Amino acid sequence: MAPLPDDDPRGPETASPSLWTNPRLTFRRLFGLDRSGPPPPATLSDAPWNVWTIPNAIGFVRLALIPVLLITALSSDSGTDALPAILFAVIGWSDYADGIAARVTGQYSRFGALLDPVVDRLLVVAGVVICWNFELLPRWALAVLVARELYLLVAGQFALRRGIELKINWWGRWGVWPTMSAFFFAMVGLSTLAHVLLYVGLALSLAAAAFYTRDALAATRPAPSS
């Protein structure tokens, strides 16, 4: 489900690349808190892949570290060794690094727009596998989280095939941090904090899925006749 700009009534597909400029880097813009305005034309569906950029290099490193994370964690006795926890934190926090690199250098790309969420989803899967294997978090909650991800994957493809593009909502954005933090704190042995954060992240993620569904259904309804 690709995001649409908040203030461009033409939509991203018709926004002119020649009119787009890299916005001034305020603190909020640099750290992704201010996402107003149309997306960079280089990230749109008809743009070239442009694989070899600094942000994508960070993304490739993040991707390569995920199997290392799984091997080290699943080879441990309890899943709470220091190295897997550090790797998880590095992969998670470096998500901000590739975004900052793209905003500083202006090296946006269609490939990067697709690579970043794939790595994030794979990191969630890795966290679920580790916490499920060692029972660091309630398995029923992990199962609900996986079911939510699978639902969005299937529903997103269904929506895209019908030409429906949805804005990324803030429920989903705010649900990422507590969910990722729950995995990390579970892996360092802070069980109570990990449980609380998982429930918060799960609630926000389910709310996001509900709003995506509402918006998709609204987009399929015929426009009222004038």
Side-chain angles (χ1 to χ4, degrees):
M1 299 180 181
L4 289 172
D6 293 330
D7 58 356
D8 188 346
R10 299 168 301 171
E13 301 303 325
T14 55
S16 172
S18 62
L19 298 178
W20 190 88
T21 57
N22 200 14
R24 185 171 65 88
L25 281 181
T26 63
F27 177 86
R28 289 174 55 80
R29 175 73 66 175
L30 181 64
F31 288 94
L33 299 175
D34 179 5
R35 297 174 182 264
S36 60
T43 66
L44 301 181
S45 59
D46 58 349
W49 285 104
N50 195 18
V51 174
W52 305 114
T53 66
I54 293 173
N56 289 346
I58 297 172
F60 283 129
V61 172
R62 297 179 68 221
L63 183 62
L65 286 176
I66 289 178
V68 179
L69 163 66
L70 283 170
I71 292 170
T72 55
L74 296 178
S75 299
S76 67
D77 294 329
S78 63
T80 56
D81 287 0
L83 181 56
I86 292 171
L87 286 171
F88 188 91
V90 168
I91 300 169
W93 280 103
S94 57
D95 181 31
Y96 291 97
D98 62 14
I100 291 171
R103 296 178 194 108
V104 169
T105 64
Q107 292 182 342
Y108 300 100
S109 68
R110 176 63 178 161
F111 183 82
L114 296 174
L115 176 64
D116 189 56
V118 167
V119 175
D120 290 341
R121 290 290 183 272
L122 289 175
L123 183 58
V124 170
V125 170
V128 168
V129 169
I130 295 166
C131 291
W132 184 286
N133 184 71
F134 294 103
E135 295 190 66
L136 302 178
L137 290 169
R139 286 181 171 175
W140 70 265
L142 296 174
V144 171
L145 183 63
V146 171
R148 183 261 187 190
E149 295 297 325
L150 290 174
Y151 168 73
L152 285 185
L153 178 63
V154 173
Q157 292 301 312
F158 181 84
L160 286 175
R161 284 198 296 268
R162 282 156 179 76
I164 301 171
E165 294 186 275
L166 300 174
K167 294 180 181 180
I168 298 175
N169 61 48
W170 282 102
W171 294 93
R173 293 191 193 281
W174 286 110
V176 171
W177 181 85
T179 303
M180 293 292 195
S181 298
F183 295 140
F184 172 76
F185 286 119
M187 292 169 67
V188 298
L190 298 177
S191 179
T192 300
L193 179 58
H195 279 64
V196 171
L197 288 171
L198 178 64
Y199 297 143
V200 171
L202 191 59
L204 291 171
S205 298
L206 292 175
F211 282 110
Y212 283 134
T213 303
R214 181 203 63 182
D215 294 343
L217 291 175
T220 61
R221 298 191 187 103
S225 57
S226 55

